[in-house]
Amino acid sequence: MSAAPIDDTAQTAALQSGDTKTEKAPVTAQSNEQTSWLKRRVLSLKDFEPLARKRLPKPLYAYVSGAVEDNITLAQNRQSFEDLALRPRVLVGVSTRDLSFTLFGRRYAAPFGLAPMGISALFAYRGDVVMAQAACLASVPAIMSGSSLIRLEDVMEAAPGTWFQAYLPGDMRQIEGLLARVEAAKVETLVITVDTPVAGNRENNIRAGFSTPLRPSAALAWQGVTHPRWLLGTFTRTLMRHGVPHFENAYAHRGTPIVSRNVERDFSDRAHFTWDHLATIRRRWKGQLVVKGILTTEDARLAQQHGVDGIVVSNHGGRQLDGVIAAMRALPEIVEAVPQLPVMLDSGVRRGTDVIKALALGARCVFIGRPFAYAAAVGSRQGVAHGINLMQAEISRDLAMLGITRATDVDAQCIYRPPPH
């Protein structure tokens, strides 16, 4: 059975017209049918992936799903969660549970959010907007990617409070221009990703036919023809309404089209970005400043010394350096090294129990990437909203079975770590 098409026009207008934390989108027959279909087919975040794999052209699915080289880090991210066991307590009264937590002065509904995913608008129509809107309505944090194909200003208008993640070059003039633009867009939390000095060796992309820039070919055309729902519902719809997608947010000005030969040049200056640039950014940027991609205590302490407001422990979902330490294994020592900073985590989170294990090791919250990209590809904003609901339900249920009523009460006593062999 195929999913019903989604009309986001009325929902988007409603979101933009009032308080996005509380306003409810209008219910339509189409949205009811879509929600019913999702509830029958998708019982966990894991269920989105095979549906997205069927819907997306092979190169796009490979871009989202793949990591680098031998996928060692990708596998280790999952293994790091499976190595930890939970220690439940009983008979403590758990009829009500509270998943909320506070971060940077804002109260969020649950201790997880949406990680930044590049080129989201290629695998879901207006992908950056629909993911940010779903997170905004659910009161969970969302980070927009700097390698997105939709203007930052459009996303911030549709979903105020969205965080913005930047890949920065080693040129302060360009950095200054982007900071001014981000500030004018009313971004409150700026996330700087620091683990991409050069591009990762994504052999899987090449094997699957994905390239940056996107190169038209007979094989790519065939993928479009054989995936008509994506071709008509995402690609053609985007071209007709918005033209050829551009990298919109790498600089103060509009970036290059996805088919331009200059794409690689525009993203090639990150090797010159250093701690000196971060120090200048800290003096210039008045909002919350988060550094993403920290895996060592040395860098965590340096980030703290440079005045950041938070750290995301991350290995880029295994998409940069293969064989690097899993984020969950790096988390405890980083939390211990910078106890004054909120430490967050991404890379490998898939279940409510994963969230709880990360909280037990000291994370303030976690971010989830690929599953929500699949959710957007499968069900647009309703798909993402369904994924958020599933995670909230899992965390609430897991807390009850652990004998805990508040997510903020999760601590190291909740987990059992087997002794080293």
Side-chain angles (χ1 to χ4, degrees):
M1 179 178 179
S2 62
I6 300 169
D7 182 1
D8 276 327
T9 306
Q11 295 173 337
T12 301
L15 229 164
Q16 293 177 341
S17 67
D19 182 358
T20 55
K21 290 184 180 180
T22 58
E23 184 141 4
K24 302 296 183 182
V27 177
T28 65
Q30 285 185 337
S31 65
N32 281 335
E33 183 180 349
Q34 174 76 354
T35 300
S36 177
W37 180 84
L38 287 166
K39 286 181 177 179
R40 291 194 305 271
R41 294 292 300 273
V42 180
L43 305 183
S44 72
L45 290 188
K46 182 179 179 180
D47 291 341
F48 280 116
E49 182 170 359
L51 296 173
R53 184 172 189 171
K54 184 177 180 181
R55 181 186 181 98
L56 293 173
K58 181 181 177 181
L60 277 184
Y61 172 76
Y63 169 81
V64 180
S65 64
V68 293
E69 296 182 352
D70 299 316
N71 294 331
I72 294 171
T73 297
L74 183 67
Q76 287 299 309
N77 282 339
R78 285 304 309 147
Q79 188 62 49
S80 65
F81 288 99
E82 294 168 10
D83 287 344
L84 300 173
L86 296 167
R87 299 180 66 248
R89 300 296 304 276
V90 298
L91 301 179
V92 293
V94 291
S95 59
T96 60
R97 278 90 66 195
D98 180 6
L99 275 58
S100 66
F101 77 109
T102 300
L103 181 63
F104 302 143
R106 175 173 295 206
R107 194 76 172 168
Y108 291 104
F112 71 90
L114 278 61
M117 286 294 298
I119 65 169
S120 299
L122 275 189
F123 46 80
Y125 178 71
R126 307 301 280 170
D128 299 286
V129 173
V130 299
M131 288 195 285
Q133 285 181 332
C136 187
L137 283 170
S139 293
V140 297
I143 310 175
M144 179 187 181
S145 173
S147 57
S148 49
L149 305 175
I150 297 176
R151 294 175 66 251
L152 163 67
E153 293 81 359
D154 294 344
V155 175
M156 292 303 300
E157 182 181 0
T162 301
W163 301 11
F164 179 71
Q165 172 259 347
Y167 296 107
L168 296 179
D171 182 335
M172 275 312 305
R173 290 177 300 175
Q174 293 183 1
I175 293 173
E176 286 278 357
L178 180 60
L179 290 178
R181 179 183 172 190
V182 173
E183 187 175 47
K186 299 181 180 179
V187 171
E188 298 172 359
T189 303
L190 174 64
V191 181
I192 299 176
T193 291
V194 294
D195 59 1
T196 57
V198 295
N201 183 24
R202 301 184 185 179
E203 297 166 357
N204 64 291
N205 286 359
I206 299 172
R207 294 188 180 101
F210 182 88
S211 63
T212 305
L214 198 64
R215 296 183 178 92
S217 66
L220 196 60
W222 175 250
Q223 284 293 318
V225 170
T226 54
H227 295 81
R229 292 183 62 206
W230 172 84
L231 179 65
L232 298 176
T234 300
F235 188 70
T236 303
R237 190 177 176 191
T238 296
L239 289 179
M240 292 180 64
R241 296 190 178 187
H242 310 283
V244 175
H246 287 57
F247 286 98
E248 297 282 2
N249 305 302
Y251 302 106
H253 54 82
R254 190 183 201 192
T256 56
I258 57 171
V259 294
S260 170
R261 295 180 180 178
N262 294 329
V263 167
E264 291 180 352
R265 183 196 66 189
D266 282 2
F267 286 91
S268 63
D269 193 31
R270 300 170 190 170
H272 295 95
F273 187 72
T274 69
W275 289 107
D276 290 338
H277 294 101
L278 187 66
T280 304
I281 291 167
R282 177 68 285 180
R283 291 191 295 270
R284 168 70 176 78
W285 177 254
K286 303 305 180 185
Q288 306 294 337
L289 182 64
V290 174
V291 170
K292 177 179 179 294
I294 299 292
L295 286 171
T296 65
T297 57
E298 298 93 328
D299 285 341
R301 293 190 183 100
L302 278 170
Q304 183 180 43
Q305 292 167 16
H306 282 77
V308 304
D309 298 297
I311 287 172
V312 180
V313 180
S314 168
N315 58 36
H316 220 98
R319 297 164 75 90
Q320 279 300 110
L321 176 62
D322 204 21
V324 75
I325 185 173
M328 269 291 280
R329 292 176 179 148
L331 177 64
E333 63 180 16
I334 291 177
V335 170
E336 184 177 359
V338 289
Q340 299 87 357
L341 288 182
V343 176
M344 296 154 275
L345 174 136
D346 73 16
S347 303
V349 179
R350 297 294 181 268
R351 283 285 187 180
T353 48
D354 297 339
V355 177
I356 290 172
K357 290 173 182 179
L359 298 181
L361 294 184
R364 183 70 65 86
C365 71
V366 305
F367 290 92
I368 304 170
R370 290 179 179 92
F372 284 117
Y374 298 139
V378 170
S380 189
R381 196 177 81 195
Q382 287 174 269
V384 180
H386 182 56
I388 292 172
N389 289 337
L390 287 172
M391 284 300 292
Q392 288 177 315
E394 285 190 14
I395 296 170
S396 180
R397 184 186 308 114
D398 297 336
L399 287 176
M401 287 190 282
L402 284 169
I404 300 172
T405 59
R406 296 186 301 180
T408 52
D409 289 339
V410 174
D411 60 19
Q413 296 300 313
C414 299
I415 58 173
Y416 168 77
R417 280 179 278 187
H421 297 296

